[in-house]
Amino acid sequence: MLTQASWRAMGLKDEEYRRIVELLGREPNRTELGMFAVLWSEHCAYKHSKRLLKRFPTQGEAVVVGPGENAGVIDVGAGDTLVAFRCESHNRPSAVEPYQGAATGVGGILRDVLAMGARPIALLDSLRFGLLDDERVRHLFAGVVAGISGYGNSVGVPTVGGEIQFDSGYRHNPLVNVMCVGLLPRRRLTRAVAAGPGNAVVYVGSATGRDGIHGATFASDQLGRETESKRPSVQIGDPFAEKLLIEACLELVEQGFVVGIQDMGAAGLTSSCAETAARGGCGVEIDLDLVPQREEGMDAYELMLSESQERMLVIVRQGYEEHVHAICRRHGVPSVTIGTVIAEPVLRVRHRGQVAAEVPVHALTSQAPVYDPPAERPADLDERQSLDLAALPEPEDYNAVLLRLLGSPTIAEKAWAFTQYDYEVGAGTVLGPGRADAAVVRIPGTRRGIALKMDGNARYCLLDPLTGGMIAVAEAARNVVCSGGRPVAITNCLNFGSPEKPEVFWTLKEAVEGMSRACEALGTPVTGGNVSLYNEHDGTPIPPTPIVGVVGIVDDLKRVVGMGFPGEGLLVALIGETREELGGTEYLAVIHGLVRGLPPRLDLDLERRVQAVCGEAIAQGLIESAHDCADGGLAVALAECCLAGGVGVRVQLAFAGRTDALLFGETQSRIVVSLKEEHWLALQQLADAAGVPLVRLGRTAGRELVIAVNGATVIDVPLSAMDEAWRGSIPAAMGAGGEA
Amino acid sequence: MKWAVAVFPGSNCDRDAYRAVADVLGDQAVYVRHDASSLLGADAVILPGGFSYGDYLRPGALARFAPVMEAVRSFAEAGGPVLGICNGFQILCEAGLLPGALLRNAGQRFRCQPVCLRVENSHTPFTGRFHAGQVIRMPIAHGEGNYFAPPEVLDELEQQGRIVFRYCDPDGRATPAANPNGSARNIAGICNARGNVVGLMPHPERAVEPFMVSTDGLALLAAVRDWLQATSTSPPDGNSATGGVQGAC
């Protein structure tokens, strides 16, 4: 007998239960209720965010498959080869069990890309943790990195890039956002559809156990004191099984037996059956007795809701089941025909000779509730946006400030993490982690490549979500440009608190608006992504964190550049200009302990022109390196160029405002480039033609970073000291072993 | 010449090795599945990197029982050139074709980075294009590359010139700081007594094109041609073909 307590425990509201009864015309049984609960969760149904997400521009020349499928697909002009990509969050499981949470996050996004018929060729991760002086945070950081390493390395897909930031706001609620990119020949493009009554429903992959039951519901809930008891909601990954599954599925789609394919990820059998049926305009009938099971006595509820990993649902053309089973057998992957596509649009589940569930497909999917929650500007936003610079003393020792910023874990070198990832398996990584603003991966058999970047800055969003959303897109795109790519499309993860809080919802709405405007201005449509809401611990939301993943086209792999100054005697210049902007900076947070003010302004038209000039200069072979000015501003950007290249620079700056704003302010649309003297005129012409400011800063030389402002030297630091601060920071914080 | 690239369930550098010898070097190449009983008439065989059988139990511990290893063993015993890269090196040790074992890295973590190697033996089929003492560069990517053998075995390897590569600094010094994983005596690669079976942790197939850390891996692979021409011994041919595999996209 179902009680109010039973649907509430599954995360359903009373009115949602009433809606289910109305849609069914009767009370659901427990299995059916569980199926509704997972598919109507925020994670699957986007019920609070659906209307907002419609704001994203999704059309573009390059877009082949937009939102709504397992991954977006774009045409990058590489002949027959298309690119599939998406990102997804695995925040909640990682907070409870960091290794498995992160590992299965990698596994899930790989299968989403695989479901499009693509071979996964690259992974990126955007991670957020609390501060490293907290033992539990170190445990989470070490565990998440080890989980990504353990799964990604084994499955043989390189982790080529990403980013990591540390902020006390993520202490209890780390963020693990994973992006996967795959390649496919056009003819292999596959959709997640169950169409054609009579076609077979085939279960491919590992056996089903009791792990991860209600994971999707968990992912749509808050963290709190009871979270530890949610450990059974965390799935366990087996990268070896995933590797076999990838090879088997690629051969299946290659052979053309497959009508549709979908990962049994969040909400397992329930979502894969219901969503493929909904897309195909059909129904699905399955018999749970045929499902491979690794535990005894599982009931229909458990089988339908299990989130056991490394499983795919494959819709196979009638009469080809045996071919499919033979291929799977050869790859050592279990496969079983568990049902049939039917004309009647219902999901019918048989178990032990009886109908265990029978639900109209659309009741589970398109008829899920959609909410329009109230939005309200946070009451304290004006207060947070106010910043009295006059009351802020300028530092006396700029060398010390620079070294402290370089050692701030958000800025510091992340080799401690990325050397644990195999970033070169596949032998296609042209620019790997730490070498350039974005990763560059080759498209085999062509001169082309793709440039990839994930990025986001929650502090800007906290202070002004509209600007923060715009910057998230602009900065990630700028990074792609700096490595030699032409941004063409984006994916995103929206990590926010509870949308039922008007202030959180307002922030989300503003951020989506900002991201959309930037996407429109930069010509980068959104091809998919995910939302991760309810990121709260004991009622306190995380900082609002939209993460953007950008894919760019590299026309010629010979025309890519790194971030480091590649040698002595090069001219160093700044594309863009510096304004006196200190609000929301890493400098204010680290040196003055302040998270306030307005984030830097973003002029989208200038941004577009700055990116165009830099991109064109790289394409023409005019510049030797390019690095975006981001966290820590111009001084930190220059230091990073020196550290990555192993050479110093002497810089002369003129500025009418505060010196700290010039050195550490985070004015947008600025790129530090190095070039040979003989290319200066050509670069100047490009900048002039685009109406983009271009300033000569100095020349690379020696083993020091020397910065003079208005004629007076304010920074003079040897590379060795910067190196120690920058490279030493995270290893020191994590200890010799740094183990979880 | 013709290469065989072994494919175990969980191998993940098989396609990279294939591409290096077939597309970059321009030789013939075939994949040979774990369940094959023949090397399809290959002149040289590569056991590629990856996580064969998930590295479950111990890296290489299960792969040694794969049917194809019988063919590899016969081929090696007949003097044919065998190269074990990373997981392939681990498999060769587990199969007893090379001495010693590869333990968890001293730092307990997976390490992916470029390293410098000093060539110690230029007389194997894979090192003829290097000279002894030459410093070359290749990437490593492993969690279990910490070479271990009892002291008497290490002494024997030294005396017989069977240490092929050592981790070193850019000036060729095999210092503790240049040792990325705690390997005994900075050992990165060794060979069998006859010299035809070589195992190493670094990845030559990731050092074959201009955008990579170096092209030293190409010199390593290309050396086999010279060696085959110089030796009159013709490696044993296998019997009938039992299934090569094709990688998709």
Side-chain angles (χ1 to χ4, degrees):
Chain A
M1 180 65 203
L2 293 170
T3 60
Q4 190 178 50
S6 51
W7 62 77
R8 284 189 177 175
M10 292 183 194
L12 286 167
K13 297 179 203 311
D14 295 350
E15 68 264 26
E16 290 174 339
Y17 181 75
R18 283 194 292 274
R19 187 180 167 97
I20 291 168
V21 173
E22 201 176 298
L23 286 168
L24 289 179
R26 60 176 168 84
E27 304 258 326
N29 64 32
R30 179 167 165 272
T31 301
E32 291 166 338
L33 185 64
M35 290 161 61
F36 274 104
V38 285
L39 277 179
W40 284 16
S41 68
E42 187 66 37
H43 189 83
C44 293
Y46 299 87
K47 58 191 173 190
H48 290 93
S49 51
K50 206 171 208 162
R51 295 221 166 101
L52 283 189
L53 299 179
K54 286 201 191 332
R55 170 68 184 91
F56 283 138
T58 57
Q59 306 290 313
E61 234 173 81
V63 178
V64 179
V65 176
E69 281 284 343
N70 282 291
V73 177
I74 55 171
D75 184 341
V76 295
D80 185 45
T81 304
L82 303 177
V83 173
F85 70 106
R86 183 174 182 196
C87 68
E88 188 150 90
S89 60
H90 233 219
N91 303 336
R92 231 67 101 256
S94 304
V96 179
E97 214 300 290
Y99 186 98
Q100 291 298 343
T104 54
V106 172
I109 196 69
L110 285 167
R111 291 191 299 278
D112 283 338
V113 164
L114 176 63
M116 304 309 296
R119 174 179 285 282
I121 61 150
L123 289 162
L124 295 92
D125 312 284
S126 200
L127 310 178
R128 296 291 181 277
F129 300 97
L131 301 178
L132 289 175
D133 56 8
D134 182 318
E135 192 186 335
R136 178 157 170 79
V137 170
R138 292 197 297 273
H139 161 76
L140 291 174
F141 178 38
V144 164
V145 170
I148 292 167
S149 161
Y151 203 99
N153 297 354
S154 180
V155 84
V157 179
T159 299
V160 298
E163 46 109 42
I164 311 173
Q165 294 183 19
F166 302 88
D167 184 292
S168 57
Y170 304 104
R171 180 170 176 223
H172 298 286
N173 196 141
L175 301 185
V176 177
N177 290 185
V178 190
M179 172 170 167
C180 179
V181 182
L183 300 180
L184 67 152
R186 194 178 295 267
R187 71 187 140 71
R188 219 165 64 195
L189 180 60
T190 312
R191 312 245 179 171
V193 289
N199 284 333
V201 176
V202 178
Y203 175 115
V204 174
S206 303
T208 298
R210 287 195 169 93
D211 52 331
I213 290 173
H214 267 301
T217 314
F218 175 43
S220 307
D221 200 0
Q222 300 183 15
L223 293 170
R225 270 178 277 280
E226 302 82 36
T227 302
E228 284 293 299
S229 68
K230 298 273 173 130
R231 195 160 285 160
S233 292
V234 179
Q235 312 86 335
I236 309 296
D238 177 356
F240 176 55
E242 180 100 340
K243 169 67 176 162
L244 302 183
L245 185 66
I246 289 173
E247 299 303 329
C249 287
L250 286 176
E251 192 172 339
L252 292 181
V253 289
E254 184 72 30
Q255 298 288 347
F257 307 140
V258 172
V259 176
I261 185 166
Q262 178 156 343
D263 169 32
M264 282 188 235
L269 266 172
T270 301
S271 68
S272 53
C273 289
E275 289 172 7
T276 51
R279 288 196 196 96
C282 289
V284 159
E285 180 169 325
I286 58 170
D287 185 348
L288 293 178
D289 295 318
L290 301 171
V291 169
Q293 296 166 39
R294 62 165 190 257
E295 292 178 64
E296 286 190 10
M298 290 182 72
D299 62 20
Y301 174 88
E302 292 170 317
L303 286 163
M304 288 307 288
L305 267 60
S306 164
E307 294 190 2
S308 288
Q309 297 291 290
E310 292 89 26
R311 303 179 301 163
M312 301 291 273
L313 192 78
V314 184
I315 310 300
V316 176
R317 272 163 56 198
Q318 197 173 0
Y320 288 88
E321 297 97 298
E322 280 317 308
H323 293 86
V324 166
H325 297 319
I327 287 171
C328 288
R329 226 173 4 252
R330 215 163 68 80
H331 286 277
V333 175
S335 71
V336 186
T337 304
I338 59 165
T340 324
V341 178
I342 56 176
E344 189 189 354
V346 297
L347 172 51
R348 187 177 299 126
V349 180
R350 294 183 184 280
H351 192 222
R352 295 173 187 152
Q354 305 205 322
V355 174
E358 181 164 339
V359 182
V361 164
H362 292 285
L364 287 168
T365 54
S366 59
Q367 288 173 321
V370 177
Y371 298 122
D372 218 346
E376 196 178 300
R377 191 173 185 273
D380 63 344
L381 194 59
D382 286 332
E383 157 63 16
R384 275 187 270 139
Q385 288 180 342
S386 70
L387 173 65
D388 180 11
L389 281 182
L392 196 73
E394 286 208 49
E396 301 196 343
D397 183 351
Y398 279 105
N399 288 341
V401 171
L402 175 64
L403 291 174
R404 266 186 74 191
L405 283 174
L406 287 173
S408 164
T410 290
I411 291 175
E413 197 204 27
K414 308 298 189 299
W416 185 89
F418 70 67
T419 56
Q420 295 186 56
Y421 308 145
D422 187 342
Y423 51 81
E424 288 186 329
V425 62
T429 307
V430 178
L431 290 173
R435 289 186 56 199
D437 281 12
V440 175
V441 179
R442 146 169 89 176
I443 298 174
T446 70
R447 304 159 59 204
R448 288 184 169 235
I450 43 178
L452 307 167
K453 177 66 185 178
M454 284 183 96
D455 213 345
N457 185 319
R459 205 178 285 139
Y460 297 164
C461 284
L462 187 70
L463 297 171
D464 176 4
L466 183 73
T467 304
M470 288 200 290
I471 291 177
V473 172
E475 193 173 330
R478 197 185 310 139
N479 283 315
V480 161
V481 167
C482 284
S483 68
R486 190 153 40 79
V488 285
I490 77 160
T491 177
N492 63 76
C493 287
L494 302 172
N495 308 274
F496 286 76
S498 166
E500 295 168 52
K501 291 182 178 166
E503 300 195 342
V504 171
F505 192 72
W506 180 85
T507 307
L508 173 62
K509 201 170 167 178
E510 289 284 295
V512 167
E513 175 62 27
M515 292 167 75
S516 302
R517 285 187 198 173
C519 286
E520 284 160 356
L522 301 175
T524 52
V526 176
T527 60
N530 94 320
V531 294
S532 172
L533 305 181
Y534 301 96
N535 285 286
E536 307 204 348
H537 184 268
D538 287 343
T540 306
I542 57 159
T545 316
I547 297 292
V548 175
V550 177
V551 178
I553 300 173
V554 176
D555 291 318
D556 180 356
L557 284 173
K558 292 202 176 74
R559 297 280 195 233
V560 295
V561 296
M563 63 185 264
F565 295 140
E568 297 209 32
L570 291 170
L571 206 58
V572 172
L574 181 71
I575 303 177
E577 71 184 332
T578 305
R579 292 189 293 256
E580 189 178 70
E581 293 177 309
L582 278 173
T585 57
E586 183 76 3
Y587 163 75
L588 266 198
V590 171
I591 306 297
H592 298 281
L594 291 176
V595 177
R596 27 179 348 119
L598 280 168
R601 277 177 292 144
L602 180 68
D603 174 344
L604 283 168
D605 183 56
L606 175 66
E607 177 71 38
R608 190 180 49 75
R609 286 179 284 127
V610 164
Q611 291 188 15
V613 168
C614 184
E616 187 56 31
I618 294 172
Q620 291 184 16
L622 299 179
I623 60 182
E624 309 296 315
S625 71
H627 183 35
D628 155 48
C629 285
D631 296 332
L634 179 60
V636 165
L638 286 165
E640 289 169 340
C641 294
C642 291
L643 289 163
V647 62
V649 66
R650 303 184 80 84
V651 167
Q652 306 268 355
L653 305 173
F655 195 58
R658 292 171 63 113
T659 301
D660 54 355
L662 168 64
L663 295 175
F664 308 118
E666 295 174 8
T667 295
Q668 295 296 299
S669 316
R670 294 184 301 163
I671 298 170
V672 173
V673 298
S674 69
L675 65 157
K676 292 179 181 145
E677 180 75 53
E678 68 251 37
H679 292 139
W680 171 251
L681 275 180
L683 180 62
Q684 216 172 20
Q685 278 164 6
L686 279 181
D688 286 350
V692 165
L694 175 72
V695 197
R696 266 172 100 117
L697 300 181
R699 208 172 271 282
T700 59
R703 306 274 302 162
E704 295 88 28
L705 169 63
V706 183
I707 301 178
V709 177
N710 301 331
T713 298
V714 293
I715 284 181
D716 184 352
V717 199
L719 239 57
S720 55
M722 296 197 298
D723 198 85
E724 201 181 311
W726 186 63
R727 278 187 226 281
S729 172
I730 290 178
M734 296 304 289
E739 289 313 295
Chain B
M1 68 168 287
K2 182 172 171 183
W3 295 81
V5 177
V7 183
F8 301 94
S11 292
N12 64 29
C13 302
D14 46 335
R15 291 150 42 85
D16 303 347
Y18 183 99
R19 194 184 295 131
V21 292
D23 299 348
V24 185
L25 204 53
D27 288 338
Q28 263 189 290
V30 286
Y31 289 111
V32 182
R33 272 173 62 96
H34 59 100
D35 53 4
S37 56
S38 151
L39 298 180
L40 305 176
D43 302 301
V45 57
I46 295 177
L47 304 187
F51 290 71
S52 56
Y53 302 91
D55 270 4
Y56 295 146
L57 188 57
R58 265 194 328 275
L62 298 175
R64 63 172 282 209
F65 296 110
V68 74
M69 286 307 293
E70 276 314 305
V72 171
R73 186 183 300 278
S74 313
F75 182 80
E77 281 167 2
V82 176
L83 180 67
I85 301 167
C86 196
N87 193 227
F89 184 15
Q90 294 163 338
I91 295 170
L92 289 173
C93 289
E94 286 286 340
L97 288 167
L98 290 174
L102 293 143
L103 311 180
R104 187 108 188 105
N105 291 350
Q108 301 300 310
R109 286 196 297 272
F110 191 98
R111 294 280 293 261
C112 179
Q113 65 182 78
V115 294
C116 290
L117 301 173
R118 188 172 75 205
V119 179
E120 304 287 81
N121 175 342
S122 58
H123 300 296
T124 77
F126 303 97
T127 50
R129 292 197 177 186
F130 304 130
H131 58 80
Q134 185 176 342
V135 176
I136 60 173
R137 274 166 69 79
M138 282 179 204
I140 56 164
H142 59 247
E144 275 119 349
N146 177 357
Y147 184 75
F148 171 85
E152 59 275 18
V153 174
L154 293 172
D155 289 342
E156 190 181 288
L157 289 175
E158 301 257 19
Q159 284 152 17
Q160 297 177 355
R162 289 167 56 192
I163 295 169
V164 183
F165 303 106
R166 270 188 235 265
Y167 300 108
C168 66
D169 67 15
D171 299 320
R173 289 177 301 233
T175 61
N179 186 342
N181 53 27
S183 286
R185 304 188 192 180
N186 280 43
I187 290 173
I190 57 171
C191 64
N192 63 351
R194 193 167 170 178
N196 62 313
V197 177
V198 171
L200 78 167
M201 289 312 296
H203 286 272
E205 82 282 12
R206 299 185 190 180
V208 295
E209 292 187 71
F211 71 83
M212 298 175 173
V213 61
S214 78
T215 52
D216 293 332
L218 199 60
L220 184 150
L221 297 168
V224 181
R225 284 184 195 164
D226 313 342
W227 185 87
L228 284 172
Q229 276 173 5
T231 49
S232 51
T233 50
S234 171
D237 198 346
N239 299 323
S240 60
T242 53
V245 291
Q246 293 294 318
C249 188

